[in-house]
């Protein structure tokens, strides 16, 4: 999270520098490239809200970076540090992120200047609903126009308030629930959304580790997650789930850094227990058998195989990039590595899995939720039993032809149909696998210096095709 307006400007400049570098490999016309880079629209609003008997003026913003495909898509963050440049940068990244994973949305982002930690639930609801109403007034939200989602400081609760406000003001609209994603399951949300970004990070890391050419000469034995030592910065939703799924596949989480400090244990930390410890004590520090770090930034420079920054932007910069010892940087956060830092780390032969690919699991599953809302039916509802009947016939045929019977457990395993969460995770896995290999192929074909340039170039080419096919109107 940017702490000052200057930080937001640096973040936006960094995104534009990445774009310009990748665009230098493209043969698209300068005019099309300028349109792809430009922010299409910015809406800033100030509105009054009564809080504890006093009227306070709240500032909100919604940026729609690209309309090459509609709806546009992007989260809403609640923070006192929200500023226009930061929101523009995040909206820009969303455009390219959607293109990289073939999600047919343009990029957007929103923010409201409010501290969610010190505001009461009643205040947050008032502000959220009024912000939603302001967007509705200007036709800046809707299932075919712009579909927000949770971000820093917001969650499923706020998305449910937005959906309810939209339904109240657009009464009778069939697809109203598709105006926002990240909702609770009982309010039109989708199973698997909460862990989607973290699970997507795991799938992306797994593909990289299985890539023999990329891993050659890096001292990472075996092309699997097994035994890989990971330090995670940020144990929020993204960092927790990414670490958890990696740990389930044999990785060793040696360090966890948070705003109040960090913990380290070379033999490994139980992520689930550490998360519980922080929830109960309000601090990650003093977790059993771990060494405390009062300055969590020091942990970015510790020995590890994979460094997973999953919290703030610009945490790896020219001042510390030369001291990074990780072999792989897995960008769980948006913009954790500055342009200058990337140049330094690429020279040091560190592989960077870029944010616009690696943390796209959230928008991918948001897309699935949007599709569910438009179809008005839960995934798997109509097909699950039919699948199971088909599998049972196949199992019966196998038993008849072989003369051997399966156990009840084997039959249950082999005849299980696909429910919503299994379909969501399958779709996410397929998306992350395909996107990785597409980026990798572009990196080889165009000889880009790293995966980020290849990812940006992949997105630029796809968006360029959209603009060329759309034509220029009028």
């Amino acid at each position: 999270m940017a702490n000052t307006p200057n930080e937001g400007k640096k973040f936006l400049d960094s995104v534009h520098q990445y774009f310009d570098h990748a665009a230098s490999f493209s043969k698209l016309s300068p005019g099309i490239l300028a349109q792809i880079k430009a922010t299409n629209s910015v809406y800033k609003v100030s509105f009054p809200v009564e809080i504890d008997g006093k009227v306070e003026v709240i500032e909100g913003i919604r940026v729609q970076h690209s309309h090459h495909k509609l709806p546009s898509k992007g989260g809403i963050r609640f923070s006192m540090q929200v500023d226009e440049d930061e929101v523009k940068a995040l909206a820009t990244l969303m455009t390219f992120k959607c293109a990289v994973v073939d999600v047919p949305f343009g990029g957007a982002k929103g923010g409201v200047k409010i501290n969610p930690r010190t505001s009461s639930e009643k205040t947050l609801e008032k502000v959220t609903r009024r912000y939603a109403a302001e967007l509705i007034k200007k036709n800046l939200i809707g299932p075919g126009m712009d579909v927000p989602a949770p971000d820093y400081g917001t969650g499923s609760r706020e998305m449910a308030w937005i959906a309810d406000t939209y339904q109240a003001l657009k009464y009778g609209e069939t697809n109203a629930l598709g105006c926002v994603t990240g909702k609770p399951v009982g309010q039109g949300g989708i199973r698997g959304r909460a862990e989607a970004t973290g699970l997507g990070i795991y799938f992306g890391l797994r593909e990289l580790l299985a890539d023999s050419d990329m891993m050659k000469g890096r001292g990472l034995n075996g092309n699997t997650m097994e035994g890989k030592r990971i330090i995670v910065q940020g144990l929020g939703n993204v960092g927790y789930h990414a670490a958890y799924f990696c740990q389930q596949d044999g990785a060793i989480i040696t360090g966890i850094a948070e705003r109040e400090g960090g913990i380290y244990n070379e033999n490994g930390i139980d992520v689930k227990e550490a998360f519980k410890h922080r929830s109960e004590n309000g601090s990650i520090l003093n977790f059993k058998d771990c060494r405390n770090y009062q300055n969590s930034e020091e942990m970015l420079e510790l020995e590890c195989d994979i460094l997973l920054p999953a919290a703030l932007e610009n945490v790896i910069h020219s001042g510390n990039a030369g001291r990074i010892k990780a072999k792989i940087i897995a960008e769980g956060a948006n913009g954790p590595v500055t342009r200058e830092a990337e140049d330094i780390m690429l020279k040091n032969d560190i592989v960077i899995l870029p944010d616009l690919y690696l943390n796209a699991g959230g928008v991918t599953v948001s897309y699935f939720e949007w599709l569910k809302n438009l179809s008005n039916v839960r995934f798997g509802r109509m097909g699950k039993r039919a699948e199971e009947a088909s599998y049972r016939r196949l199992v019966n045929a196998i038993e008849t032809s072989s003369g051997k019977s399966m156990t009840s457990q084997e039959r249950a395993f082999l005849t299980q149909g696909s429910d919503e969460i299994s379909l969501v995770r399958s779709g996410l896995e397929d998306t992350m696998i395909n996107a990785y290999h597409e980026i990798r192929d572009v990196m080889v074909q165009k000889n880009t210096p790293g995966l980020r340039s290849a990812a940006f170039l992949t997105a630029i080419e796809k968006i360029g095709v959209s603009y060329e096919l759309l034509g220029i109107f009028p």
Side-chain angles (χ1 to χ4, degrees), residues 250-430:
I252 302 167
I253 310 301
T254 55
I256 299 172
E258 261 295 348
R259 64 171 63 84
E260 68 272 7
I263 55 173
Y264 183 85
N265 184 337
E266 63 179 10
N267 297 316
I269 299 166
D270 187 314
V271 174
K272 217 169 185 178
E273 288 298 313
F275 185 83
K276 183 181 176 186
H277 169 82
R278 186 167 190 257
S279 299
E280 291 174 350
N281 299 284
S283 170
I284 196 74
L285 298 173
N286 302 317
F287 184 62
K288 58 184 178 183
D289 302 324
C290 287
R291 175 185 171 185
N292 285 338
Y293 278 79
Q294 298 300 325
N295 181 3
S296 61
E297 289 184 13
E298 293 178 26
M299 299 189 67
L300 300 174
E301 302 170 18
L302 296 178
E303 293 275 359
C304 63
D305 297 318
I306 300 165
L307 177 61
L308 206 169
L312 314 175
E313 53 249 26
N314 299 337
V315 294
I316 300 176
H317 43 78
S318 57
N320 62 6
R323 299 191 294 274
I324 300 295
K325 300 179 182 68
K327 300 176 178 72
I328 297 168
I329 306 294
E331 293 189 335
N334 289 313
V337 177
T338 67
R339 183 81 177 89
E340 297 80 8
E342 173 142 327
D343 290 340
I344 293 167
M345 290 192 292
L346 288 178
K347 285 175 186 172
N348 291 340
D349 204 28
I350 295 171
V351 178
I352 301 172
L353 266 177
D355 50 2
L356 71 162
Y357 160 66
L358 195 62
N359 67 31
V363 74
T364 300
V365 175
S366 281
Y367 171 51
F368 299 158
E369 181 180 334
W370 180 74
L371 291 174
K372 174 185 177 179
N373 295 153
L374 297 191
S375 63
N376 288 288
V377 64
R378 183 182 74 246
F379 292 135
R381 180 170 181 175
M382 292 190 290
K384 185 172 186 283
R385 300 298 176 187
E387 272 185 25
E388 290 177 348
S390 177
Y391 295 154
R392 279 195 297 273
R393 288 193 291 272
L394 182 60
V395 167
N396 290 339
I398 292 170
E399 287 182 331
T400 300
S401 61
S402 67
K404 295 180 179 178
S405 296
M406 296 183 187
T407 66
S408 58
Q409 290 90 344
E410 289 170 335
R411 283 184 68 88
F413 177 74
L414 291 172
T415 60
Q416 184 178 2
S418 299
D419 57 9
E420 183 169 85
I421 194 164
S422 61
L423 287 167
V424 165
R425 289 185 173 182
S426 171
L428 174 58
E429 182 175 15
D430 187 62

Side-chain angles (χ1 to χ4, degrees), residues 168-185:
L169 297 178
K170 299 277 187 175
Y171 189 74
E173 187 173 313
T174 309
N175 297 323
L177 279 175
C179 75
V180 66
T181 61
K183 302 179 294 293
V185 172

Side-chain angles (χ1 to χ4, degrees), residues 78-230:
F78 282 5
S79 168
M80 293 306 295
Q81 279 75 46
V82 163
D83 76 84
E84 184 177 331
D85 285 329
E86 178 195 43
V87 178
K88 277 185 179 177
L90 292 165
T92 305
L93 282 175
M94 278 300 299
T95 293
F96 301 120
K97 193 177 297 186
C98 290
V100 162
V101 291
D102 291 321
V103 168
F105 294 145
K109 208 74 179 185
V112 178
K113 278 199 175 183
I114 185 172
N115 189 335
R117 289 191 176 84
T118 59
S119 301
S120 68
E121 183 174 337
K122 184 178 179 182
T123 296
L124 289 172
E125 181 173 1
K126 279 184 177 182
V127 170
T128 301
R129 288 183 181 275
R130 181 59 189 266
Y131 174 69
E134 294 293 332
L135 296 182
I136 294 165
K137 278 184 199 176
K138 298 295 183 181
N139 201 29
L140 291 174
I141 182 174
M145 179 55 65
D146 189 354
V147 180
D151 195 77
Y152 184 91
T154 61
S156 60
R157 178 185 64 180
E158 286 78 14
M159 299 308 109
W161 290 335
I162 292 173
D164 183 63
T165 305
Y166 186 86
Q167 286 178 305
L169 297 178
K170 299 277 187 175
Y171 189 74
E173 187 173 313
T174 309
N175 297 323
L177 279 175
C179 75
V180 66
T181 61
K183 302 179 294 293
V185 172
Q187 297 295 323
I190 195 167
R191 291 161 182 83
R193 174 62 182 88
E195 68 271 23
T197 307
L199 182 57
I201 290 169
Y202 161 72
F203 288 141
L205 266 171
R206 191 187 65 185
E207 284 307 298
L208 173 65
L209 290 169
D211 187 337
S212 299
D213 289 337
M214 288 292 287
M215 293 297 99
K216 194 177 293 180
R218 299 184 188 281
L220 296 172
N221 298 326
N223 291 60
T224 66
M225 193 70 70
E226 186 73 35
K228 304 302 181 292
R229 307 174 78 78
I230 300 176

